[in-house]
Amino acid sequence: MNYPTIPLIDVVAAKQAEIRQNNLTKPRGSLGRLEEISIRLAGMKADPLPMVDRKAVIVMAADHGVALEGVSAYPAEVTSQMVLNFLDGGAAINVLARQAGASVTIVDIGVAIDFDLSLPGLLHYKVAHGTCNMAKGPAMTRAEAEKAVTVGMDVLAEVAEKGLDLVATGDMGIGNTTPSSAIVAVITGLPVAKVTGRGTGLDDVGLAHKVEIIEQAIALNRPNPKDAQDVLCKVGGLEIAGLAGVMIAAAARRIPIVVDGFISTAAAMIAVGLVPDVLNYMFCAHQSVEIGHQAMHKYLRLTPLINLNLRLGEGTGAVLAFHIIEASSRILREMATFAEAGVSDK
Amino acid sequence: MNYPTIPLIDVVAAKQAEIRQNNLTKPRGSLGRLEEISIRLAGMKADPLPMVDRKAVIVMAADHGVALEGVSAYPAEVTSQMVLNFLDGGAAINVLARQAGASVTIVDIGVAIDFDLSLPGLLHYKVAHGTCNMAKGPAMTRAEAEKAVTVGMDVLAEVAEKGLDLVATGDMGIGNTTPSSAIVAVITGLPVAKVTGRGTGLDDVGLAHKVEIIEQAIALNRPNPKDAQDVLCKVGGLEIAGLAGVMIAAAARRIPIVVDGFISTAAAMIAVGLVPDVLNYMFCAHQSVEIGHQAMHKYLRLTPLINLNLRLGEGTGAVLAFHIIEASSRILREMATFAEAGVSDK
């Protein structure tokens, strides 16, 4: 499969942003990470005064064959029910996107049931009716995984056509912390039990069972840790593949990516495995309650922006982080310099 | 001095909010601190569906006699210069307040120079032309400290008259980390060196000197740790007194308070010392780089909402936290319940 070329970070624009930050009416460095974010934005967007006005969250929905093994506290039909809730505007991601002034794009990339094709607002890009049960064999064929990555790239292109300064990734898929834990375990080599959490709310027995199922899936499928495509198709998910595609296509267009929680960060690991330079265009939004999330951030060497004990997915943490990223851009663009304001410097 | 009565938290409204959170279309608890914040808001505002539409930041500016001792990296005239920058809209707090949809109120409660009384947008409530040098004697008289607290209560009343759902506190005063460190050292009993940081950017020699000056001020003035009014007038500041007044008057009106960084949290300790129940109406916005800030949060038993390595003051961290508090309110008010959305519960 051919992936697009990822442009280099513009170090000149980043340096110009840094110089400006040092001349704004505040002690140097006193806005901490807001300053760093604005400098990264400038480098990503090749613009010393980057704007983040046009914001979007892309939510990929898919089902998981492994849900049959009882790895989730919720029944599998919740995936499709939540898609309808997204379309009605009643889910958390709708509320938070309205607040942040971000558009919401909902994609059926692999939900088990067929939606009415006339359903307003849903993008129909179903690659399969959910994945196969990875505890019994590979979750997807290589062709399906590639098709799902391509869907993600196409959806990003579609959203970007209307103008896009910042994109967040979101997921919906009952059972999808299971493939996400499998991905982080395989790629980092950490024991499954160290990177597997309670998802939507498993009890201790449920959690122990989930760990066993993931260990079984890895033992059976033997994904190659050095081959992200192999990991993706054997123990991944369709929405994870799609989100990896979104990230690759965003980086190719110099659009900064705000990676949401545990599932999105699994997708980020796959994206970086497929196309390493995508990492230069990523912000990690938040620290999830899922225990494997820290290992993902450590692997990607990214520090999350917020920590509010979230564990919902849908892109909710990423859209919350939009406010912080927008603040960093506005500070850089709108504050007066010492000279402009007639304020004495140190 | 007589302080207003602080109403009790409405536990019925808080319980109603909690029940609603548990019925919204997400796994229970999956929005972590957003859920907790919304429940606290409901209790504060005695409203099971609290709104935070009308937001304001009140910035109190004052000078400090102790600045003569060379405790700041910036010259004292920056206090008045920054007041003019605030009025022109070029400072960080202006930028972040515009983003958050919050009004900005700038108060001269004790700047050393006299501003033109016709200056648009500045509230003239000067109690004194800065404090006295606390390294040589008390920073203020008891009457001045009381007057400054009253100014804060009056300013909050003025801002609240136009309608106010959420208020942030901000400060401007070259030298004001010095009284703030003194306050936390006296009230907690911790050694001065453990709660004194670099402020706007002191080097190691400057920091050691600042610690000595604070130790000298405490040894000379002997503030009584059990008497917040005594601590305030001996080693406090006019803006710190004013902000304590803002907090007391806000709590009296059931208006939630978002406490900014190191100086604002020193004011919060004074406010709680004067009127303990004010604490029930406080959110701590962020974890500052100033090393004494954690000791303040520990004392108040509040966990900051964000940690972005900020150390600017002006209310910047508090106004950034507005987005998170607004998100919590919108989630509670706008999300669909399981029943409304036809989504299966666990």
Side-chain angles (χ1 to χ4, degrees):
Chain A
M1 189 169 165
N2 285 326
Y3 296 107
T5 307
I6 309 301
L8 293 174
I9 290 296
D10 185 333
V11 292
V12 175
K15 189 71 201 173
Q16 286 174 295
E18 185 184 344
I19 290 167
R20 183 171 165 84
Q21 279 289 6
N22 288 339
N23 281 297
L24 298 175
T25 45
K26 56 179 170 54
R28 270 169 207 80
S30 62
L31 284 176
R33 295 193 68 193
L34 290 187
E35 299 187 21
E36 295 164 26
I37 295 166
S38 74
I39 294 164
R40 282 197 72 203
L41 278 179
M44 292 175 188
K45 295 176 82 76
D47 180 350
L49 293 172
M51 284 208 302
V52 291
D53 283 1
R54 298 165 303 177
K55 297 176 284 285
V57 55
I58 297 174
V59 183
M60 297 266 170
D63 276 302
H64 295 267
V66 74
L68 288 171
E69 303 289 344
V71 290
S72 175
Y74 281 79
E77 69 258 25
V78 168
T79 303
S80 56
Q81 292 169 344
M82 282 300 296
V83 167
L84 299 178
N85 195 19
F86 294 147
L87 298 176
D88 282 341
I93 189 58
N94 303 101
V95 173
L96 296 178
R98 278 197 294 273
Q99 183 194 353
S103 70
V104 180
T105 299
I106 308 295
V107 185
D108 171 9
I109 195 165
V111 180
I113 66 151
D114 284 318
F115 292 103
D116 186 341
L117 288 178
S118 65
L119 210 54
L122 181 61
L123 296 189
H124 299 272
Y125 285 115
K126 198 191 293 289
V127 173
H129 291 81
T131 51
C132 299
N133 181 353
M134 70 181 197
K136 311 279 185 198
M140 293 173 268
T141 64
R142 203 160 178 103
E144 282 171 331
E146 288 187 358
K147 192 168 168 198
V149 172
T150 304
V151 163
M153 296 200 291
D154 291 348
V155 169
L156 186 283
E158 212 172 312
V159 175
E161 208 156 276
K162 297 171 220 156
L164 184 60
D165 295 316
L166 191 61
V167 69
T169 61
D171 69 285
M172 181 68 226
I174 293 300
N176 66 8
T177 58
T178 294
S180 301
S181 289
I183 288 169
V184 61
V186 170
I187 294 182
T188 64
L190 288 167
V192 171
K194 294 273 184 206
V195 293
T196 302
R198 296 174 188 277
T200 49
L202 289 175
D203 60 16
D204 288 349
V205 173
L207 177 59
H209 176 63
K210 181 176 171 182
V211 168
E212 273 172 31
I213 292 292
I214 295 170
E215 285 171 343
Q216 182 182 325
I218 294 172
L220 178 76
N221 291 296
R222 299 178 171 274
N224 175 0
K226 306 282 180 208
D227 179 352
Q229 190 73 39
D230 195 55
V231 177
L232 177 62
C233 67
K234 286 178 175 163
V235 297
L238 290 158
E239 79 280 49
I240 293 170
L243 292 174
V246 166
M247 295 176 198
I248 293 167
R253 285 170 177 76
R254 292 191 171 282
I255 297 169
I257 304 150
V258 187
V259 178
D260 188 41
F262 192 59
I263 287 86
S264 282
T265 316
M269 291 179 78
I270 296 294
V272 168
L274 297 173
V275 188
D277 288 350
V278 174
L279 183 60
N280 296 334
Y281 289 85
M282 285 179 182
F283 293 101
C284 274
H286 78 104
Q287 181 61 56
S288 164
V289 172
E290 275 289 309
I291 60 164
H293 206 198
Q294 289 194 350
M296 292 177 170
H297 289 144
K298 196 174 165 194
Y299 179 84
L300 294 171
R301 293 188 199 160
L302 289 172
T303 308
L305 297 173
I306 50 184
N307 184 350
L308 293 169
N309 299 336
L310 308 178
R311 53 179 173 86
L312 178 55
E314 301 180 6
T316 47
V319 168
L320 269 178
F322 275 179
H323 298 287
I324 289 168
I325 294 171
E326 184 173 339
S328 83
S329 152
R330 284 173 174 255
I331 286 290
L332 182 63
R333 291 174 53 85
E334 298 178 23
M335 268 185 77
T337 62
F338 282 104
E340 283 164 1
V343 173
S344 309
D345 201 352
K346 203 150 104 170
Chain B
M1 191 170 166
N2 284 326
Y3 297 106
T5 307
I6 309 300
L8 293 175
I9 291 295
D10 185 333
V11 292
V12 175
K15 190 71 201 172
Q16 286 173 297
E18 186 184 344
I19 291 166
R20 183 171 164 84
Q21 279 289 6
N22 288 339
N23 281 296
L24 298 175
T25 45
K26 55 178 172 53
R28 271 168 206 81
S30 62
L31 283 176
R33 295 194 69 193
L34 291 187
E35 299 187 19
E36 296 165 24
I37 295 165
S38 74
I39 294 164
R40 282 198 72 203
L41 278 179
M44 291 175 189
K45 295 175 83 76
D47 180 350
L49 293 171
M51 285 208 301
V52 292
D53 283 1
R54 299 164 303 176
K55 297 176 283 286
V57 54
I58 297 174
V59 184
M60 297 266 168
D63 276 302
H64 295 266
V66 74
L68 287 170
E69 304 288 344
V71 289
S72 175
Y74 281 78
E77 68 257 27
V78 167
T79 303
S80 56
Q81 291 168 346
M82 282 301 296
V83 167
L84 298 177
N85 195 20
F86 294 147
L87 299 175
D88 283 343
I93 189 59
N94 302 103
V95 174
L96 296 178
R98 279 196 293 274
Q99 182 194 352
S103 70
V104 180
T105 299
I106 308 295
V107 184
D108 171 9
I109 195 166
V111 180
I113 66 152
D114 284 316
F115 292 103
D116 186 340
L117 288 178
S118 65
L119 211 53
L122 182 62
L123 296 189
H124 300 271
Y125 284 114
K126 199 191 291 288
V127 173
H129 291 81
T131 51
C132 298
N133 181 352
M134 71 181 195
K136 310 281 187 198
M140 293 173 268
T141 65
R142 205 160 175 105
E144 283 171 331
E146 289 188 356
K147 193 169 168 195
V149 173
T150 305
V151 163
M153 295 198 292
D154 290 348
V155 169
L156 186 282
E158 212 171 313
V159 174
E161 208 155 278
K162 297 170 220 155
L164 184 60
D165 295 316
L166 191 61
V167 68
T169 60
D171 68 285
M172 181 68 226
I174 293 300
N176 67 8
T177 58
T178 295
S180 300
S181 289
I183 288 168
V184 61
V186 169
I187 293 181
T188 64
L190 287 166
V192 171
K194 293 275 184 205
V195 293
T196 302
R198 297 173 188 277
T200 50
L202 289 175
D203 60 15
D204 288 348
V205 173
L207 178 58
H209 176 63
K210 181 177 171 182
V211 169
E212 274 173 31
I213 292 292
I214 295 170
E215 286 170 343
Q216 183 182 325
I218 294 172
L220 179 75
N221 291 296
R222 299 178 170 275
N224 174 0
K226 307 280 181 209
D227 178 353
Q229 189 73 39
D230 194 55
V231 176
L232 178 63
C233 66
K234 286 177 175 165
V235 297
L238 291 157
E239 79 280 50
I240 293 169
L243 292 174
V246 165
M247 295 175 198
I248 293 166
R253 285 170 178 75
R254 293 190 172 281
I255 298 169
I257 305 150
V258 188
V259 179
D260 187 41
F262 192 59
I263 288 84
S264 282
T265 317
M269 291 178 79
I270 296 294
V272 169
L274 297 173
V275 187
D277 288 350
V278 174
L279 183 60
N280 296 334
Y281 290 85
M282 286 180 181
F283 293 101
C284 274
H286 77 105
Q287 181 61 57
S288 165
V289 172
E290 274 290 307
I291 59 163
H293 205 198
Q294 289 194 349
M296 291 176 171
H297 289 142
K298 195 172 166 196
Y299 179 83
L300 294 172
R301 295 187 199 163
L302 289 172
T303 308
L305 298 173
I306 51 184
N307 185 351
L308 293 169
N309 299 335
L310 308 178
R311 54 179 172 87
L312 177 56
E314 300 179 6
T316 48
V319 168
L320 269 177
F322 275 178
H323 299 287
I324 290 168
I325 294 170
E326 185 173 339
S328 82
S329 151
R330 284 173 175 255
I331 286 290
L332 182 63
R333 292 173 54 84
E334 299 178 24
M335 270 185 77
T337 61
F338 282 103
E340 284 164 1
V343 174
S344 309
D345 201 351
K346 202 150 102 172

